[in-house]
Amino acid sequence: MSADSEFLAQLYNGLGQALLTPPAQDPDAEREYYRLFLSPEGAPCPPWQSVYLEAEGEKPRLMGPPHHSALDWYRRYGFEPAAENEPADHLGLLLLFYAHLLAAEEPESVLASFEDQHLAWAPRFIEKLHAHARHPRYLQLAADLAGSL
Amino acid sequence: MALTRRNLLKYSGAAGAGLMTAPAALAAFDEHFKPASGASADAAKVVSCCGVCSPACGLQATVKDGVVQFIEGLPGDAHGDGHLCGKGAAGAGFLYDPDRLKYPMKRTNPNKGFNEDPGWVRITWTEALDTIALQMKNTIAQSGAEACLFVTLPSPDLFARFMSAMGIVNRVDHRDECFQSDTVIQKYTTGGKSWCNDFENSKYILLFGWDIVAKAKLVYANGVVKARSNGAKVVHFSPTYSATSRMSNEWFNINPGTDLAVALAMINVIVGESIYNKDFVDKYSNFTQYESEIRAHFQQYTPEWAEKESGVPANDIRRITREFAGSGASIAPAHKKTLCANYMNASQLVHAISILNILAGTIDRPGGRYFARTHAIPGVDAVYPPPAYPAKQGRRVDGRDKLPFVNEIDQGMFSTLADGMLNKFPGMIKFAFWNAYTILALPNPKTMEEAMRQVNFTVVMDFIPTDTVSMADIVLPSAMYLELNDAVARDYNAKFPQSIARTAITNPIFETKSAGYVAIELGKRLCPDYFKLSDGSWINPNTLLDEKVKRAGLGTDFADFKAKGIVQNPAAFTPRTTFATPADAGGKCQIYVPHFAAKGAEALPKWHTKREIPNPDFPLYYITFIPAIHKRNTTENNRILNEIMPTNHAIINPALASKMGIREGQSVLVRSRAGQIELPAHLSQTVRPDAVLVAHGFGHASRYLGAAGGKGVRDGDLIPNAAIEEFVAAGNYAGASCIMDAVCSIEPL
Ligand code: SF4
């Protein structure tokens, strides 16, 4: 793997992981993670692509067309999300998979197609994250995502 | 993106260049992905039934890769006639609501209140169940079972078993706001509550308030449409001009809460002119036994008297009564939250309506109200008989024991719960478990909020965030009807048995689970003897379902039943000749109910006024309603339904608007003695100039609830609290809540 590819793969991998894993070692940040993404009172920053399709005329939902499309991508490369019965279009999963494509040094056309189908929506999520995050860790994550996508 | 990537490479090698994400091993990928087990599948159709409301209309879902794409009616199915109503068709909107509760969560900030951040963190199911079991155990040890409040229906049967095994005395549900009055009355007058109305064979349909065409079950709307096509006459008494009014031959703009006067006058005319169905009434009712009492009692309720109360002309009451009595197949259904069942005088009204049906002679007869012919699907207690349950000990927090007829049917009482918790037994409830209900469902949610603040430990189990969650210590995510298996013996259009397999069209999303699962798991921890089988193994819900299916004759096991979809046993309809009224009624329907009199209620319905009458401070009637496309307070966040009706208004007549100087869309303040709400006005001829109409179900406080959060106002904030003594004093022995029974004022802002 080239140094460039490795750098990028690790970068997106890290961002994906930050979105998928609550920081258990830091209770304040952990609570912030749940408040932003999974609050049982309604979460301000849902991290699933299917929730962001209003511009395409779809209502926010889980398990919409992007879920199926993401699953198709994963399966074409021989994978599936480990968590069963959960949407495949979680931004964290999409970023981990993107990192995988980068690490595998997939051609530009493949990367561009994945970006187009599954990362182009991310700014709408990042905007929300930026607006709602209170803990420095997630303000930083919003900035990092904005700088990387 | 390619540009971003190239830009990013500038940082390559410059570790920590502002990016918090220190290069992590790609191991994260292996943690979150696994090898693919299959390829993407084509879409297929799966048969099941709706579970948004109770008729369980047949449905078919198009499912791709385990994900529901589309839901539609099941052709040929009698309950939906091949269709689904708006709520049923929007099923995927519930299933894939982005706000669905996903994992068990616990609060880490002990301070509760809308301004506190609860500090939710995810926990495992095991931790959640262990914590709940420990809290319940300690509460019962220290304060007795009466300190535990369960806000839930007694279903599923496994959950009911758990509550019985724990000796829970304080279980409350919403049925006092719904059909409880009818359940009490039918038990004594005709032998049991029934959901079956044979509209398609009716010749005359008399509706008190009920907006049956819009706000009801599809099966009823279809029935009324068929009745009209067959030439039946529909008469509607309602203070609002609803879809049903439009479909009626005659609509009477009755004074709110005076339906009872019209019903009493109709009985006066039928009895006075002896135009009842003599054959049925003599043979199958106790009319002859109590004839002199009945004749004497109803004499006072002349149509002229009723006109003064109700505004319905005496001549029309007479004419309609004669038409009703003479049609040969007349029906007067009583129903739920809509209007007539929800005034303080609803116990008497529902009794009077039942008498009208008996006098028409159509109980369990063509064109009338009949009893469901269903498969007998056994409950868990029949399949696995439990050890004797402990006696329920302790005080009823809602005071329901003061209403013996309600107590014996074990329903209610949302309307008096807050008063009991705050005033009668303050501090008694220490543990609360809310399952599929929200404080929005209580007549006065504000007071309920206050009452809930006194509770030490609260569990909320639901499928979407509700306002009650903000008071919870632990939140449990529920699976919903499209994710669960069950066998449903349908009882709305049931001249012969027709059961349907409710099939899990898709796996429960995230970590959602059923209330049955929770019951078994809490049972293992707290009352194992009730959840253990004779061979020492735990009850398994799948084996239990197989056994139910087998014993009901629906199939060899659930898989077999599921393959059939619907099991029907067509048979000729044989009208009942004995009725399941109390044993000493001799199998007859009861017009005069001595049992009521024996316990301080009325053997024959008397006139009572509604609870609140317009007065100088609050000169207008306050009428609430549930919109056709919503179910109570649980569907407003469904994106599909929310688009159709996202919020509520103060709906007023243009005449009232011009008198008060209110324009369309203008903000108004609506006040009652209970509180005030601020919302936009909507002008409509469909409401009387002396009333304000507000839709129920809005005003969800959860701010981040994607669609419904912060939209509209709570209609309940204007409903005055009720105490059980008031119900007793008013003769409301069937415990009808008063959620339609308020008065208000309105002013522009
Ligand atoms: S009437 Fe509507 S909500 Fe009720 S079961 Fe039928 S389709 Fe479902």
Side-chain angles (χ1 to χ4, degrees):
Chain A
M1 198 191 318
S2 77
D4 284 358
S5 299
E6 189 176 346
F7 170 76
L8 289 173
Q10 291 196 336
L11 167 70
Y12 289 107
N13 186 72
L15 290 169
Q17 198 171 16
L19 284 166
L20 285 166
T21 317
Q25 67 296 344
D26 178 348
D28 281 346
E30 187 190 23
R31 282 192 284 271
E32 175 77 336
Y33 176 93
Y34 287 116
R35 187 184 68 81
L36 291 167
F37 308 129
L38 287 167
S39 167
E41 296 180 77
C45 311
W48 302 277
Q49 187 181 354
S50 298
V51 182
Y52 294 81
L53 294 183
E54 259 166 333
E56 286 84 358
E58 298 253 357
K59 288 184 189 44
R61 58 173 296 188
L62 299 170
M63 300 289 198
H67 160 81
H68 293 285
S69 157
L71 204 53
D72 284 346
W73 272 97
Y74 306 156
R75 283 180 176 160
R76 277 205 300 278
Y77 287 79
F79 300 103
E80 271 172 12
E84 284 169 24
N85 310 318
E86 297 200 5
D89 58 353
H90 189 293
L91 182 57
L93 290 178
L94 295 170
L95 289 173
L96 290 190
F97 184 72
Y98 183 56
H100 178 81
L101 295 178
L102 286 163
E105 304 199 297
E106 286 291 324
E108 182 61 30
S109 60
V110 170
L111 296 177
S113 154
F114 185 79
E115 288 162 3
D116 186 45
Q117 291 173 36
H118 287 296
L119 297 177
W121 66 279
R124 274 172 270 167
F125 165 79
I126 298 166
E127 224 171 274
K128 284 196 187 213
L129 185 57
H130 184 74
H132 292 283
R134 294 180 203 143
H135 190 281
R137 180 183 171 97
Y138 289 96
L139 283 165
Q140 183 65 50
L141 180 60
D144 288 352
L145 285 165
S148 316
L149 290 171
Chain B
M1 280 278 323
L3 190 67
T4 315
R5 263 187 277 130
R6 274 192 293 277
N7 283 340
L8 281 165
L9 288 174
K10 285 190 287 195
Y11 300 119
S12 179
L19 295 167
M20 61 175 261
T21 44
L26 293 184
F29 187 87
D30 298 331
E31 188 190 328
H32 292 284
F33 285 91
K34 62 180 182 187
S37 58
S40 300
D42 287 339
K45 286 199 172 183
V46 184
V47 171
S48 185
C49 62
C50 185
V52 179
C53 79
S54 33
C57 299
L59 67 76
Q60 52 185 353
T62 308
V63 183
K64 180 179 157 44
D65 258 335
V67 177
V68 177
Q69 308 293 312
F70 186 67
I71 292 176
E72 61 199 311
L74 181 63
D77 174 45
H79 268 70
D81 227 0
H83 303 283
L84 298 172
C85 76
K87 296 167 288 178
F94 302 110
L95 190 61
Y96 300 129
D97 186 331
D99 295 315
R100 266 195 80 170
L101 298 176
K102 302 171 182 82
Y103 309 103
M105 308 281 278
K106 76 170 178 200
R107 156 192 301 275
T108 55
N109 175 3
N111 299 328
K112 297 180 186 176
F114 279 120
N115 299 325
E116 293 285 345
D117 177 358
W120 298 109
V121 296
R122 180 177 167 183
I123 52 174
T124 62
W125 268 98
T126 307
E127 182 183 343
L129 293 160
D130 286 347
T131 311
I132 296 166
L134 184 67
Q135 288 285 344
M136 219 178 140
K137 192 174 160 191
N138 290 345
T139 303
I140 293 175
Q142 283 158 21
S143 312
E146 69 174 17
C148 296
L149 171 71
F150 278 75
V151 186
T152 175
L153 283 167
S155 60
D157 53 2
L158 283 163
F159 205 66
R161 184 180 187 121
F162 171 70
M163 291 184 286
S164 298
M166 298 302 294
I168 297 302
V169 62
N170 284 310
R171 184 197 62 75
V172 294
D173 63 53
H174 78 289
R175 286 178 285 184
D176 56 317
E177 298 177 335
C178 207
F179 54 88
Q180 174 177 284
S181 48
D182 200 36
T183 308
V184 167
I185 301 297
Q186 296 306 330
K187 176 177 172 189
Y188 287 92
T189 55
T190 64
K193 168 80 187 154
S194 168
W195 297 103
C196 298
N197 297 302
D198 185 21
F199 291 129
E200 57 190 294
N201 291 309
S202 300
K203 298 209 171 75
Y204 207 91
I205 301 172
L206 188 66
L207 294 158
F208 289 97
W210 187 6
D211 184 10
I212 194 170
V213 175
K215 185 53 220 156
K217 319 300 180 190
L218 200 50
V219 58
Y220 294 152
N222 289 339
V224 173
V225 171
K226 277 187 199 151
R228 282 300 311 260
S229 318
N230 295 342
K233 181 164 181 177
V234 179
V235 174
H236 192 213
F237 297 105
S238 170
T240 63
Y241 185 77
S242 63
T244 303
S245 315
R246 274 195 288 284
M247 195 175 268
S248 300
N249 301 72
E250 291 187 51
W251 165 61
F252 291 92
N253 188 350
I254 192 170
N255 294 337
T258 64
D259 310 65
L260 174 61
V262 172
L264 292 174
M266 287 187 70
I267 303 173
N268 164 290
V269 173
I270 294 178
V271 171
E273 298 182 3
S274 291
I275 50 174
Y276 49 85
N277 180 329
K278 204 165 166 13
D279 181 51
F280 183 93
V281 167
D282 287 356
K283 255 198 234 152
Y284 303 117
S285 87
N286 67 359
F287 182 80
T288 47
Q289 191 184 348
Y290 293 101
E291 187 165 352
S292 54
E293 287 92 336
I294 293 168
R295 287 187 183 280
H297 176 79
F298 288 102
Q299 239 166 28
Q300 54 191 314
Y301 301 123
T302 63
E304 284 68 24
W305 163 82
E307 176 177 343
K308 282 196 204 103
E309 293 292 343
S310 66
V312 180
N315 285 341
D316 286 321
I317 297 178
R318 262 198 194 89
R319 174 180 53 80
I320 285 165
T321 307
R322 289 170 190 150
E323 290 170 4
F324 177 83
S327 89
S330 293
I331 183 169
H335 195 56
K336 322 210 337 174
K337 188 179 195 300
T338 30
L339 296 168
C340 82
N342 261 290
Y343 297 115
M344 189 63 97
N345 60 16
S347 303
Q348 288 76 17
L349 173 61
V350 179
H351 188 181
I353 290 175
S354 187
I355 293 174
L356 285 173
N357 285 307
I358 297 170
L359 293 173
T362 52
I363 307 295
D364 211 51
R365 299 293 181 273
R369 202 173 193 190
Y370 66 97
F371 297 98
R373 276 61 170 167
T374 60
H375 296 113
I377 302 177
V380 61
D381 284 3
V383 177
Y384 304 128
Y389 288 127
K392 288 181 186 171
Q393 274 175 0
R395 299 160 292 174
R396 271 297 296 199
V397 67
D398 58 2
R400 193 185 73 182
D401 46 308
K402 307 245 169 26
L403 299 174
F405 298 106
V406 180
N407 222 20
E408 68 190 16
I409 59 163
D410 194 22
Q411 299 186 359
M413 287 287 295
F414 270 11
S415 36
T416 55
L417 177 62
D419 178 66
M421 289 174 73
L422 286 169
N423 304 323
K424 303 285 160 31
F425 307 106
M428 179 172 110
I429 300 298
K430 298 188 165 57
F431 170 100
F433 193 122
W434 290 67
N435 174 37
Y437 279 123
T438 149
I439 51 168
L440 232 58
L442 280 289
N444 190 301
K446 226 185 274 166
T447 324
M448 195 60 219
E449 242 170 73
E450 225 177 285
M452 281 303 298
R453 277 208 201 97
Q454 301 184 348
V455 176
N456 301 349
F457 190 85
T458 297
V459 184
V460 171
M461 178 157 187
D462 217 310
F463 76 99
I464 54 158
T466 66
D467 288 359
T468 318
V469 167
S470 66
M471 271 161 259
D473 292 275
I474 285 192
V475 177
L476 302 176
S478 268
M480 54 178 297
Y481 67 97
L482 296 164
E483 300 164 325
L484 299 168
N485 290 322
D486 202 0
V488 186
R490 294 178 301 172
D491 55 0
Y492 278 73
N493 185 0
K495 289 189 193 127
F496 56 80
Q498 36 177 305
S499 296
I500 192 161
R502 171 165 293 149
T503 52
I505 294 174
T506 176
N507 291 333
I509 199 168
F510 294 96
E511 285 193 2
T512 56
K513 306 241 187 226
S514 70
Y517 166 84
V518 172
I520 293 174
E521 289 303 317
L522 290 178
K524 286 181 188 173
R525 289 161 173 83
L526 291 170
C527 45
D529 292 350
Y530 293 87
F531 289 87
K532 217 174 249 171
L533 303 180
S534 47
D535 65 2
S537 63
W538 298 111
I539 290 179
N540 174 315
N542 299 326
T543 321
L544 172 64
L545 184 55
D546 286 341
E547 195 58 36
K548 288 181 182 182
V549 163
K550 201 160 72 187
R551 293 195 192 185
L554 301 173
T556 49
D557 56 15
F558 184 72
D560 182 38
F561 180 34
K562 181 176 154 180
K564 296 176 195 164
I566 296 182
V567 173
Q568 321 199 52
N569 295 88
F573 183 85
T574 313
R576 269 192 197 178
T577 50
T578 53
F579 294 83
T581 41
D584 56 355
K588 288 186 172 183
C589 294
Q590 302 198 98
I591 291 173
Y592 181 100
V593 183
H595 311 81
F596 287 163
K599 286 187 190 159
E602 298 156 25
L604 291 167
K606 291 184 191 148
W607 167 246
H608 294 252
T609 56
K610 77 194 277 282
R611 184 186 192 196
E612 307 255 322
I613 307 290
N615 58 58
D617 288 339
F618 302 109
L620 304 168
Y621 291 103
Y622 180 61
I623 303 176
T624 64
F625 72 105
I626 304 182
I629 50 111
H630 284 303
K631 182 195 174 193
R632 300 208 298 268
N633 30 63
T634 54
T635 59
E636 292 76 22
N637 204 53
N638 180 313
R639 301 302 195 282
I640 301 164
L641 300 177
N642 186 279
E643 184 180 353
I644 303 171
M645 184 171 180
T647 186
N648 55 2
H649 295 84
I651 307 172
I652 54 170
N653 189 285
L656 174 64
S658 89
K659 188 173 133 200
M660 301 300 299
I662 295 168
R663 283 168 288 106
E664 170 70 30
Q666 184 177 357
S667 268
V668 292
L669 185 69
V670 185
R671 279 191 288 177
S672 79
R673 68 181 169 96
Q676 59 184 54
I677 53 177
E678 213 182 293
L679 70 174
H682 173 59
L683 312 192
S684 167
Q685 294 284 358
T686 59
V687 58
R688 305 156 57 99
D690 59 357
V692 177
L693 184 63
V694 176
H696 175 70
F698 296 93
H700 293 257
S702 306
R703 258 189 312 143
Y704 295 116
L705 206 50
K711 284 192 199 154
V713 297
R714 299 194 297 209
D715 61 326
D717 285 353
L718 296 196
I719 313 286
N721 288 314
I724 202 77
E725 294 73 20
E726 189 189 352
F727 281 28
V728 173
N732 184 1
Y733 60 92
S737 81
C738 292
I739 49 176
M740 300 283 159
D741 204 333
V743 291
C744 67
S745 64
I746 190 167
E747 61 202 76
L749 284 173

